[in-house]
C-alpha cells in the first residue's frame, strides 16, 4: 500500500502552479532548491524553537544558490502571529537591502508559514516564497493552498492574502522529532481528508494509525502524500474558497468556537478540529445525512489519535448560546448565517445550514458525552 | 476635440476587469452604484479633509443599496499611510460586524485609495472595493490599475498588493474645489501619459493647458478620460509590472530620490514627478534618444503647469552621489541596477540603464539649471 520514498504532488493553478515534494533528508539538500529562480538574496524566516534545530542547515543548503542568506527568528507561538511581528520580517528585508527578486523561506509550522506567506505577498507587492514545513499540520494543511494571514485582536486570520508558494518542501525527517501533541494535532487534519473526500483513505488510517503514531517512515510518507493530493485537488478547483474549498473547513466551525471561547492557545488548533469534527459528524447525523455508525467510527479514530472528542463548556449560563455566538463571529459566516460542513456519506462532504435548536442539541450532547465511547469495530 | 460629457473607460483584466466612469455629478447619484454586488454593509473610508465635504452625500447615495453604511475618517496626509492607521480600517470593519461581502469605498485622494485598497485586499483575504477619487492625481493615476500600499519607515509603498477595485467613480465636480497645488500635482501624471504614450495628447495638453488650469469642464473631462485610457491600456498589458507597466514610472526614479531626500511631504509627489520628468528627459537626451527640442518642449509644459523644473540640492558634499544612493534604494531597483524610464521619441518610452557619470551630469545640470528656461515655441 505504501508508495515509494520520493513523492511529488502538483498543485495545479495555471501560472501559479507548484510542486509539493515529500521525502526524507530533503530540506538540507541543495538539489531541493535547484529549480528555484535565481536571486542575490534569500531570507529564512523561522522561530526560536525550529531555528536552532534546522536554520543553519537550510542556510548552508541555500548558500550555493544565493550570495546572501539571512535568517530571522520570530518568537514561537500563535500569540505572536501579529502585525508587529510580521513587521520584523519587513524590517529584516529592508535592512538587508532585499529586493523584488529576494526569495523568502518559511521554515517551521503553521504560524511561521502563514506570516511568512503574507509578508511575501505584501513585500513590494509580492516576492516569491517557499514553504519548508516542519510540523505535520503544516505539511498536510497550512503550507499547501496559499492561505496566508495574521491575527487581529478581534479575530483569527482576519488579515491576509491568497498567495501561493513557488514550492513546498516536506522533509519527513522533521516529523521524527516532533512532540507527540503536535503529531496528534496534525492527524486531525489528516483524518479530515479521509472523512470529506476519501473513504478508502479513512479506512487506511484506521488500519495504520498505530504505525503512524510509531512514526513508521513509509506510513508517514503515504499519509502526507495522500493528504497533500486531496488538498491540492480541492484547492485546484477553488483557489479562493468561493465554493468547494469550504469543505476543508469540516470541524472547523465548532473548532473556531472552542478556540475563541477557551482563548487561543488553550487547545491546539488540531485538538479543537478533532473535537469539532465529532460535533460536525453528530450534526450531520441529526440532519439525516451520515449515520450513527459513521459518527462512532470517526469518533473512535479521533480518540485513538489522542485527540479530544468531548467538547469543553464555554459558559455555565448558556453554553450552547455561547457556541452559537462565537460561530457567528467566524469569517466564514455571511449575514449571520452559519454554513456548516457536513458529511453526506463517508468520504463525501457538503455545506448545510442548520436550525439553532438542532445545533444546540449537538453542543449539549458533545459537552456531556462520556469520555470513553462505545467501542466500534473498524470496518 | 472635446468628447461628450458621459465617459466610461474599461480596464480589461479578464475576471478582474472594471469600469472607470468619468462624469460630473456622479458620486452622490445612487445610479452610479446600481451595478455593484449586493451586500448588507458598506464602509466609506475617507479623511478629515474630504470627509466633511462629501462623506454624508456618498452615504446617502449608498443607503438605498446597503442596510448599513459606515463612515471612517482617517487623518489627512502621507505620513498617516502606515500600518497603524490602516489597522483603524480593520477595527471599524470588525467592530461593525462586516463580512466577506462588505464593500469598501475609498473616498479621497491617493493616500486614502492606497490604504483602503490594501485593507480591502487583506481583510478576510479580500473584499470588494470601489475607488471614488476626489483629486486629479487619484482620478488619472492612483485609483486605476490596482496598486495599493502603505509605507514602511524604511521606504514608501513598500508593503502592499496588486488588487483591483470593482469600479472607479471619477466625479469631475470634485476637481472644481481642488486647491491649485493639487491640480498642478495631478497634471504632472497627465503630462507623463502624453510623453510616454501619446504625442498627440501631449500636443493637446500644450494647446489646452490654460483651459485646464481654468478648470474648463470639457477640457477636464477629455484630459481625465485620455489619461485613464492610456493607463488602462498599459495596465491591461502588464498588471503586475513585469514589463511594459514600468514606463508609467517615467520621472519617478528621480522623483523618488527628491521625495526621500527632502523628507516625504516637503514636495508633493506630483511636484517631484514634474521635476523628475525634466531630469529623465535630459537623461534620454544624453543617451542619444529624445532630442534637445523635446527636452525643452516638455520642460516648458511642466513649467507652465506650475510645477518645479529645477531639482533641489540634497547634499552639499556629494549631491549627485546622494541622488544615486537614494535611487538605488527604490524598490524598482534590482541588484543595485537603476532602471531608468527614458523617452525614445515623443510619445514612446523605454527602459535603459545609464552609466553613473552620465546620471551625475544630468543631476548637476538639473540642480543648477536656470529657473527660467529658454522659451521654445510649441509645435
Amino acid at each position: 500500500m505504501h508508495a515509494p520514498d520520493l513523492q511529488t504532488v502538483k498543485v495545479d493553478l495555471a501560472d501559479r502552479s507548484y510542486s509539493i515534494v515529500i521525502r526524507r533528508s530533503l530540506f538540507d539538500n541543495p538539489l531541493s532548491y535547484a529549480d528555484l529562480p535565481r536571486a542575490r538574496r534569500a531570507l529564512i524566516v523561522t522561530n526560536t524553537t525550529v531555528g536552532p534545530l534546522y536554520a543553519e542547515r537550510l542556510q548552508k543548503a541555500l548558500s550555493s544558490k544565493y550570495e546572501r542568506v539571512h535568517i530571522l527568528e520570530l518568537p514561537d507561538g500563535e500569540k505572536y502571529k501579529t502585525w508587529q511581528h510580521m513587521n520584523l520580517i519587513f524590517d529584516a528585508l529592508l535592512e538587508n537591502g532585499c529586493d523584488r527578486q529576494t526569495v523568502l523561506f518559511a521554515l517551521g509550522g503553521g504560524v511561521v508559514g502563514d506570516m511568512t506567506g503574507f509578508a511575501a505577498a505584501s513585500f513590494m507587492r509580492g516576492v516569491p516564497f517557499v514553504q519548508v514545513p516542519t510540523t505535520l499540520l503544516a505539511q498536510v494543511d497550512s503550507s499547501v493552498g496559499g492561505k496566508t494571514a495574521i491575527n487581529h485582536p478581534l479575530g483569527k486570520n482576519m488579515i491576509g492574502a491568497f498567495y501561493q508558494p513557488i514550492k513546498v518542501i516536506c522533509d519527513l525527517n522533521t516529523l521524527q522529532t516532533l512532540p507527540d501533541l503536535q503529531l496528534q494535532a496534525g492527524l486531525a487534519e489528516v483524518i479530515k481528508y479521509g472523512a470529506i473526500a476519501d473513504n478508502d483513505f479513512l479506512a487506511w488510517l484506521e488500519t495504520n494509525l498505530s504505525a503512524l503514531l510509531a512514526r513508521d517512515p513509509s506510513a508517514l510518507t503515504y499519509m502526507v502524500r495522500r493528504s497533500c493530493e486531496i488538498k491540492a485537488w480541492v484547492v485546484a478547483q477553488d483557489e479562493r474558497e468561493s465554493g468547494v474549498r469550504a469543505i476543508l473547513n469540516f470541524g472547523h466551525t465548532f473548532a473556531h468556537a472552542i478556540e475563541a471561547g477557551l482563548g487561543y492557545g488553550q487547545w491546539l488548533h488540531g485538538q479543537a478540529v478533532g473535537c469539532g469534527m465529532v460535533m460536525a459528524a453528530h450534526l450531520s447525523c441529526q440532519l439525516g445525512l451520515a449515520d450513527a455508525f459513521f459518527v462512532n467510527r470517526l469518533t473512535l479514530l479521533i480518540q485513538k489519535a489522542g485527540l479530544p472528542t468531548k467538547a469543553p463548556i464555554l459558559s455555565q449560563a448558556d453554553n450552547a448560546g455561547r457556541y452559537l455566538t462565537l460561530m457567528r463571529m467566524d469569517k466564514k459566516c455571511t449575514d449571520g448565517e452559519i454554513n456548516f460542513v457536513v458529511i453526506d456519506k463517508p468520504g463525501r462532504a457538503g455545506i448545510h445550514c442548520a436550525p439553532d435548536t438542532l445545533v444546540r442539541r449537538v453542543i449539549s450532547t458533545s459537552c456531556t458525552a462520556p469520555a470513553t465511547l462505545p467501542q466500534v469495530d473498524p470496518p
Side-chain angles (χ1 to χ4, degrees), chain A:
Chain A
M1 186 103 194
H2 299 161
D5 186 42
L6 173 60
Q7 306 279 358
T8 299
V9 175
K10 183 87 181 284
V11 185
D12 199 357
L13 290 165
D15 60 338
R16 295 180 303 288
S17 297
Y18 55 97
S19 296
I20 308 163
V21 191
I22 302 155
R23 199 181 177 181
R24 297 160 71 185
S25 308
L26 195 63
F27 90 89
D28 52 359
N29 185 342
L31 290 177
S32 302
Y33 311 101
D35 59 341
L36 297 182
R38 293 214 66 80
R40 280 207 182 171
R41 286 154 197 279
L43 174 68
I44 299 167
V45 181
T46 186
N47 65 34
T48 48
T49 305
V50 175
L53 295 173
Y54 302 131
E56 283 190 20
R57 283 163 63 191
L58 177 57
Q59 185 182 41
K60 195 172 167 213
L62 295 175
S63 61
S64 57
K65 177 115 194 161
Y66 306 99
E67 272 175 40
R68 296 281 299 277
V69 182
H70 307 280
I71 297 174
L72 174 68
E73 273 188 14
L74 300 174
D76 184 14
E78 180 81 26
K79 70 175 167 178
Y80 301 108
K81 197 171 149 182
T82 61
W83 172 264
Q84 287 76 9
H85 288 88
M86 189 172 75
N87 206 35
L88 298 174
I89 304 177
F90 298 131
D91 292 345
L93 287 165
L94 288 167
E95 283 161 7
N96 288 300
C98 293
D99 61 28
R100 285 177 174 170
Q101 269 66 48
T102 301
V103 184
L104 270 64
F105 290 80
L107 175 68
V111 172
V112 163
D114 281 6
M115 290 175 80
T116 308
F118 187 36
S122 307
F123 182 64
M124 296 189 178
R125 300 196 185 93
V127 295
F129 88 111
V130 175
Q131 292 273 18
V132 189
T134 60
T135 66
L136 180 57
L137 186 92
Q139 292 191 356
V140 298
D141 183 19
S142 60
S143 74
V144 175
K147 276 196 181 180
T148 72
I150 53 172
N151 299 331
H152 181 279
L154 294 176
K156 197 181 162 185
N157 292 332
M158 282 294 173
I159 301 159
F162 288 98
Y163 193 72
Q164 301 294 341
I166 56 170
K167 195 166 191 179
V168 182
I169 302 289
C170 292
D171 190 325
L172 295 163
N173 286 358
T174 61
L175 302 184
Q176 294 299 333
T177 52
L178 199 64
D180 284 339
L181 265 179
Q182 297 274 350
L183 189 77
Q184 293 159 2
L187 282 171
E189 302 287 353
V190 172
I191 293 167
K192 178 190 79 180
Y193 293 123
I196 63 169
D198 186 350
N199 191 37
D200 288 346
F201 184 45
L202 197 64
W204 182 88
L205 289 170
E206 289 170 316
T207 307
N208 291 275
L209 193 63
S210 308
L212 291 167
L213 290 171
R215 308 192 192 206
D216 172 78
S218 306
L220 290 176
T221 304
Y222 178 71
M223 174 186 70
V224 173
R225 174 166 78 83
R226 187 69 195 126
S227 297
C228 287
E229 279 174 354
I230 293 171
K231 177 134 191 195
W233 171 74
V234 173
V235 168
Q237 293 174 74
D238 175 25
E239 185 180 4
R240 297 181 73 90
E241 198 169 311
S242 49
V244 67
R245 185 167 178 164
I247 65 169
L248 296 176
N249 296 318
F250 176 58
H252 284 60
T253 306
F254 290 104
H256 172 87
I258 293 171
E259 290 185 87
L262 292 178
Y264 286 98
Q266 287 299 304
W267 281 27
L268 290 175
H269 175 66
Q271 295 177 311
V273 169
C275 182
M277 288 193 290
V278 173
M279 299 172 85
H282 275 291
L283 182 66
S284 307
C285 190
Q286 291 281 337
L287 285 163
L289 303 165
D291 59 20
F293 179 80
F294 173 77
V295 177
N296 283 347
R297 182 186 164 201
L298 187 71
T299 305
L300 186 67
L301 182 60
I302 289 167
Q303 189 181 33
K304 279 189 172 172
L307 295 162
T309 56
K310 190 176 166 180
I313 304 284
L314 299 182
S315 162
Q316 295 299 338
D318 177 15
N319 186 49
R322 179 73 182 138
Y323 268 88
L324 281 164
T325 301
L326 290 166
M327 289 193 285
R328 291 212 160 83
M329 286 168 64
D330 193 293
K331 71 176 174 304
K332 292 179 282 289
C333 274
T334 49
D335 296 344
E337 186 77 75
I338 307 171
N339 299 308
F340 290 100
V341 183
V342 291
I343 301 299
D344 293 327
K345 62 176 190 178
R348 207 172 70 190
I351 312 289
H352 277 256
C353 296
D356 277 9
T357 47
L358 214 62
V359 180
R360 283 179 174 270
R361 197 183 310 156
V362 167
I363 294 163
S364 304
T365 312
S366 302
C367 290
T368 55
T372 308
L373 283 132
Q375 290 287 314
V376 177
D377 289 329

